[in-house]
Amino acid sequence: METEITFRIAVQKDLDSIVAMLADDFLGSQRERHENPLPTSYIKAFEAITSDPNNELIVACEGGKVIGVQQITFTPYITHQGSWRATIEGVRTAGSVRGRGVGSDLIKWAIHRAKERGCHLIQLTTDKTRPDALRFYERLGFVPTHEGLKLKL
């Protein structure tokens, strides 16, 4: 029998599991470095995220084990009459739980959290080489209303 999935703010001891999930796909394996010890860049990023009240790194846990992660950033905007929006990034689930609804539960949790924070909009991007991810987000109510552009520095 499966245990209940809970959600909480990540703590530093979760970082190894988080990086492992980020590295566990065809894109992540090319850009992440899941090593022991972890590169200090991950520790510095974790510290910056956790010290910023407008960033939350959320983990999904089952039986004490981290099985999912997402980052939510809350941003004030001058547009839309000075409202706030939430941006969801870095959504991953452990390979052992894929297909069990953990990703959907993570996104639903983020939607609830954005409402709690008074956001009028949630935005996210997904890589164009991930058509399954696009379908996943559309099933959860997200609509591809904009073209997203990025510039690597």
Side-chain angles (χ1 to χ4, degrees):
M1 181 175 160
E2 297 169 9
T3 58
E4 179 184 3
I5 295 171
T6 58
F7 301 90
R8 63 171 169 77
I9 300 287
V11 295
Q12 190 159 350
K13 72 176 183 168
D14 300 325
L15 197 50
D16 185 70
S17 296
I18 291 168
V19 174
M21 285 184 289
L22 293 174
D24 186 27
D25 73 10
F26 68 96
L27 287 177
S29 66
Q30 298 170 35
R31 61 184 179 210
E32 305 301 341
R33 289 178 47 208
H34 184 234
E35 303 168 354
N36 187 6
L38 285 176
T40 58
S41 57
Y42 290 111
I43 296 164
K44 288 179 180 179
F46 179 84
E47 290 169 351
I49 292 164
T50 58
S51 67
D52 181 346
N54 290 316
N55 270 286
E56 295 179 359
L57 190 61
I58 305 302
V59 290
C61 299
E62 183 177 48
K65 182 179 178 185
V66 173
I67 59 168
V69 65
Q70 67 185 344
Q71 180 176 342
I72 310 169
T73 302
F74 303 98
T75 310
Y77 278 78
I78 294 297
T79 61
H80 294 270
Q81 302 175 37
S83 63
W84 284 73
R85 65 182 67 181
T87 303
I88 301 171
E89 289 284 340
V91 179
R92 296 291 191 286
T93 57
S96 61
V97 299
R98 289 191 189 128
R100 285 190 23 213
V102 175
S104 294
D105 289 345
L106 272 166
I107 298 301
K108 290 173 186 174
W109 193 96
I111 292 167
H112 177 75
R113 183 69 180 122
K115 289 177 181 177
E116 284 181 337
R117 289 282 303 250
C119 295
H120 89 285
L121 177 90
I122 299 177
Q123 60 190 19
L124 55 78
T125 61
T126 189
D127 195 285
K128 288 185 176 191
T129 63
R130 295 179 179 196
D132 292 342
L134 181 60
R135 284 189 295 276
F136 166 76
Y137 292 121
E138 287 176 336
R139 279 194 309 270
L140 291 168
F142 289 83
V143 180
T145 60
H146 290 68
E147 281 291 323
L149 304 170
K150 295 188 179 189
L151 176 65
K152 288 193 177 197
L153 303 176

